[in-house]
Amino acid sequence: MIPTLFRLAARLPLALLHRVGTLLGWLAFWGSPPYRQRLRANVAQAGLDWARARGAVASAGRMVAELPWLWCRPHDQPLGGWVRWDGAEHVEAALAEGRGLLMLTPHLGCFEVIAQAYAERWGAMSPITALYRPSRQPALRELVAQSRNRPGLLTAPANLTGVRQMIRALRKGGTVGLLPDQVPPQGMGVWAPFFGREAYTMTLASRLVQQTGAAWLLFAAERLPGGRGYVIRVSVPAEPMPGTPADPAGGQDAEEVARRAAAVVNRAMEGLILARPDQYLWGYHRYKQPRPQAEVPADGAD
């Protein structure tokens, strides 16, 4: 039933889906006091006036409403004019170096479109591997899997096997995509400041750069008004990654390097978010305690 509804919704114009999403966003905001309080608290923690972030309520709904359009789009139907790139030269330069590319983006705007758009433009040269956690709803699991496995776009499970898959991809000069502003399982992160408050932050992003020597760039997919599509902005990080040859601090113990690296990644995400706070997913429980890590059998990969 749910996949059928998704496929029917995918036929609607993107502008209409976004209008429906606006309504959904506000219904969720007023219908759930805990969600509303957390969203407002996270905005305040970032030091923002409510007026600057108020649009994020509708943006969260639009994010949900546009998923059928993104997930059910035929593989042979390119995004084309729906996506515009700003800073594509940074991607070109990183790929030309041939040492792998790590793409980092927060839960901002239409982050789902970034991997698809990258795969269409550069996937034949350097396929992208994106970290993927299967849907908790069985009815959506197959639909989501089919939508994300496209030409030039591969997925890695959110476990040890997936980490090894991403390391192999980067060492071969491929590309990997991550959303580092989500809370990882216990033991896979460190506590680091995020908008002035300690948040459990994944170490995977920094480890991938440290272990493979890959380049890393920042991405943000801004949702354009009126259902006109998206602009993907690519930028170079303002700070070097700790634990790499470019790190001026040099030899500190591993725990200290991990904390500094997490703080660098968090500051990079903050910069992207503050540029478009009306499109960030402020309702996410960013400051929650991490969940226990599930046991994952080793697959023998290096």
Side-chain angles (χ1 to χ4, degrees):
M1 181 63 179
I2 295 179
T4 301
L5 292 175
F6 258 64
R7 292 188 176 93
L8 290 174
R11 301 176 183 177
L12 299 175
L14 184 59
L16 177 57
L17 290 173
H18 281 173
R19 286 196 290 272
V20 172
T22 297
L23 177 61
L24 292 175
W26 281 103
L27 286 175
F29 181 78
W30 290 114
S32 173
Y35 169 71
R36 182 169 67 250
Q37 292 165 7
R38 183 168 61 245
L39 191 153
R40 282 186 170 275
N42 287 345
V43 168
Q45 180 64 44
L48 293 170
D49 293 333
W50 175 242
R52 286 192 61 197
R54 184 177 183 274
V57 175
S59 182
R62 291 173 191 145
M63 179 196 69
V64 174
E66 69 197 357
L67 288 179
W69 187 86
L70 286 166
W71 288 356
C72 299
R73 185 173 55 83
H75 288 194
D76 60 353
Q77 181 181 315
L79 288 163
W82 289 105
V83 170
R84 175 168 61 87
W85 287 87
D86 179 7
E89 67 274 10
H90 300 309
V91 180
E92 299 280 1
L95 295 181
E97 293 181 2
R99 57 191 176 100
L101 170 62
L102 177 64
M103 302 166 52
L104 299 183
T105 182
H107 288 78
L108 177 74
C110 184
F111 52 88
E112 282 272 353
V113 81
I114 296 176
Q116 289 189 21
Y118 172 93
E120 287 185 6
R121 183 159 179 171
W122 293 289
M125 178 197 315
S126 177
I128 177 172
T129 301
L131 194 65
Y132 163 66
R133 181 173 289 112
S135 173
R136 294 178 181 178
Q137 297 189 27
L140 284 176
R141 196 166 296 154
E142 183 177 352
L143 176 64
V144 175
Q146 290 177 352
S147 72
R148 290 179 173 170
N149 281 293
R150 294 173 176 268
L153 171 56
L154 308 172
T155 56
N159 55 33
L160 182 59
T161 298
V163 171
R164 289 170 172 166
Q165 181 181 336
M166 289 185 289
I167 290 174
R168 287 195 297 265
L170 289 173
R171 285 177 173 166
K172 292 178 181 178
T175 299
V176 165
L178 282 181
L179 288 92
D181 60 333
Q182 54 190 333
V183 180
Q186 181 70 45
M188 298 184 67
V190 293
W191 292 95
F194 185 69
F195 287 118
R197 180 179 172 185
E198 293 292 301
Y200 198 66
T201 303
M202 69 165 61
T203 56
L204 177 58
S206 58
R207 284 166 45 214
L208 289 175
V209 175
Q210 293 159 355
Q211 293 181 24
T212 68
W216 62 296
L217 294 173
L218 310 178
F219 290 71
E222 179 183 336
R223 187 181 294 107
L224 298 175
R228 298 201 305 270
Y230 312 92
V231 55
I232 300 177
R233 306 190 189 279
V234 188
S235 56
V236 177
E239 302 175 77
M241 182 66 75
T244 65
D247 178 16
Q252 294 174 307
D253 63 71
E255 186 176 348
E256 177 59 25
V257 170
R259 284 197 296 266
R260 287 198 300 114
V264 165
V265 171
N266 279 351
R267 284 194 292 270
M269 296 301 102
E270 289 171 4
L272 297 179
I273 293 163
L274 292 177
R276 285 309 307 260
D278 59 321
Q279 293 199 14
Y280 185 58
L281 202 63
W282 292 107
Y284 178 61
H285 200 347
R286 183 64 184 89
Y287 302 104
K288 67 183 177 180
Q289 291 292 320
R291 67 185 184 281
Q293 182 177 352
E295 290 294 329
V296 180
D299 62 0
D302 294 328

